[in-house]
Amino acid sequence: MSAVSGVLGPGSPRAAHDFTRQIVSVALLVRLGAIMVGLLGMVGETMTAPVLACVLAMSASSLACLLSPGTMDFVVRHPLAVVGDVLVNLAVVAVLGVESPMVLSTFPTALVLGMLFAARTSLTTVVVLVAGYLLVAAGDPDADRSFMVGLGVPALYLCLTAVGSAIRRAHALQVEAGRELALVREVAVAADERARLAREMHDSLGKTLHGIALGAQALPLWVERDPEAAVQHAHGLAAGAQQASDEARALLVRMRADQPDRPFAEVLHDECARWQESTGVACRVECAAVVDLPTSIRYELLAILGEALENVRRHAGARLVRVTFSGAPGGVVLLAVQDDGRGFAPRADGSSPRGHFGLTGMHERAREIGAGVRVESAPGHGTRVLVRHPVEEDVHAAP
């Protein structure tokens, strides 16, 4: 069949293009099968030159499209080639007669017309095919005036074209629905990112900036009343500004760390590799039975990991850190960060020591996603931070 359609225009999705090619290929294979069946039905009859020419013409047009993508591209650029193929079908009917078994090989043409063209074009083309068939049937005095010859075959042409059009429209709707679903997911991810950014700014950067603003408002009064104290306050404001800068930088790093289109295990490996390179402390990562995680859970787990590694860098004096991650189809996720550093004595409620906020932040992040955090440590025996999602009833967030 020499036809691939105008529906495969420049603006059509690649998926629709590939799907249409597959349908056309199946139709052409069916046509070749129908030709074989027709030849078997003609066993015992004389193979005349016109019969041989019809068989070769239909077989050649089918094989040309199946074996040569360039032929299909040519038809896309020159849709009149489809009209030529319809004329070949009518020539077969005219030469062999409306009762010939070879008429079976013309049915796939009607299906492909519906698949390849918009409704108006496919209807016009199939009307030409039906009219040509009826004209040949009316001009054949020896033709059987049965229902199949008079109405059945034309009705099949129309039905097959309608089926092809329905398949094309259904697939176009599926492609559009997939595109809209992807857009909805992108919007949801963007909204989730904005919500996390707002929470991060409120929890860390916002509080720091608020403190700087209050200090800046009070600074003129200190300058008037106690210049020496004003100098100390100015130094405090400078330190606060530096802290805000560091928090903003850390926030941007965390926001960029996760890439939802990549497996979480890969992102985990990359984060640990960057930390190892920046600190010089060996960091080993092990991932087993990994499952896909929602964006919100991925983000908070990475943030907890980053906080745990930061605590190791600042306080542990470790030589080796092991990060393990595992998941199960039931939704249970375990993330563990263990170091061989100096360790410490955790508080009973799991909160951070005075003047520090790392452990407290971990517990707060874990609660955001319904997870639990356990911190196991002792002086001289290193520290192990275990995150479990979802949290078990008998596992508290505090050690």
Side-chain angles (χ1 to χ4, degrees):
M1 177 67 192
S2 333
V4 174
S5 94
V7 76
L8 304 180
S12 301
R14 182 65 186 177
H17 186 280
D18 294 340
F19 176 77
T20 305
R21 280 180 174 272
Q22 293 173 1
I23 295 296
V24 171
S25 298
V26 171
L28 295 179
L29 290 173
V30 171
R31 180 195 233 184
L32 290 174
I35 292 174
M36 296 298 297
V37 172
L39 289 175
L40 291 176
M42 297 174 64
V43 171
E45 299 182 14
T46 303
M47 181 63 71
T48 62
V51 173
L52 181 61
C54 291
V55 171
L56 290 177
M58 298 190 74
S59 300
S61 63
S62 301
L63 290 173
C65 282
L66 283 172
L67 301 179
S68 173
T71 303
M72 285 192 173
D73 294 335
F74 173 81
V75 176
V76 171
R77 295 191 300 270
H78 304 85
L80 287 179
V82 179
V83 177
D85 190 80
V86 171
L87 294 178
V88 170
N89 280 260
L90 292 176
V92 170
V93 175
V95 171
L96 303 181
V98 293
E99 297 180 354
S100 172
M102 290 297 294
V103 172
L104 293 173
S105 64
T106 64
F107 290 147
T109 300
L111 176 64
V112 172
L113 289 177
M115 270 296 304
L116 299 180
F117 292 103
R120 181 179 300 178
T121 305
S122 62
L123 180 60
T124 301
T125 312
V126 76
V127 165
V128 172
L129 181 60
V130 170
Y133 174 87
L134 292 176
L135 184 63
V136 172
D140 185 357
D142 298 328
D144 184 9
R145 303 303 174 184
S146 64
F147 169 81
M148 195 64 193
V149 171
L151 293 175
V153 171
L156 279 175
Y157 285 150
L158 293 172
C159 289
L160 287 171
T161 301
V163 169
S165 296
I167 294 174
R168 184 178 64 84
R169 287 195 299 272
H171 186 260
L173 290 174
Q174 182 183 17
V175 171
E176 182 62 26
R179 187 183 300 112
E180 292 179 357
L181 179 60
L183 180 60
V184 168
R185 287 176 177 172
E186 290 178 1
V187 171
V189 169
D192 194 26
E193 291 289 338
R194 288 194 296 270
R196 285 200 301 271
L197 178 59
R199 186 174 66 251
E200 292 281 356
M201 293 185 67
H202 176 270
D203 292 344
S204 58
L205 185 58
K207 294 178 180 178
T208 303
L209 292 175
H210 182 64
I212 294 174
L214 292 177
Q217 291 175 0
L219 185 59
L221 296 177
W222 284 107
V223 170
E224 294 177 358
R225 297 178 181 178
D226 190 346
E228 293 184 2
V231 172
Q232 295 179 357
H233 278 281
H235 287 306
L237 288 176
Q242 182 60 49
Q243 180 181 348
S245 175
D246 294 341
E247 289 175 353
R249 187 179 299 107
L251 175 59
L252 291 176
V253 169
R254 284 200 302 271
M255 295 297 290
R256 294 174 178 174
D258 192 15
Q259 302 172 42
D261 58 331
R262 295 178 58 201
F264 184 71
E266 290 185 8
V267 177
L268 200 66
H269 274 279
D270 289 349
E271 285 301 296
C272 292
R274 280 193 287 267
W275 184 85
Q276 175 178 285
E277 183 179 357
S278 65
T279 62
V281 178
C283 186
R284 304 288 182 261
V285 182
E286 297 178 4
C287 298
V290 178
V291 294
D292 290 334
L293 300 173
T295 305
S296 58
I297 296 178
R298 289 169 59 115
Y299 178 82
E300 298 298 352
L301 287 179
L302 283 175
I304 293 173
L305 171 68
E307 189 61 50
L309 292 177
E310 181 65 13
N311 287 341
V312 173
R313 183 185 69 82
R314 290 183 178 182
H315 312 296
R319 292 177 298 176
L320 175 64
V321 178
R322 294 187 181 277
V323 176
T324 59
F325 174 70
S326 63
V332 178
V333 174
L334 293 175
L335 175 66
V337 182
Q338 185 167 1
D339 66 73
D340 61 355
R342 61 177 60 96
F344 69 103
R347 292 187 173 186
D349 61 358
S351 61
S352 303
R354 183 179 300 275
H356 301 278
F357 305 97
L359 296 181
T360 302
M362 289 184 196
H363 290 302
E364 291 176 349
R365 290 183 179 280
R367 282 195 294 270
E368 288 289 337
I369 57 175
V373 176
R374 176 187 287 124
V375 179
E376 302 169 349
S377 184
H381 292 84
T383 302
R384 180 173 182 258
V385 177
L386 177 64
V387 184
R388 188 184 194 280
H389 177 278
V391 63
E392 289 180 326
E393 294 181 358
D394 58 343
V395 175
H396 302 287

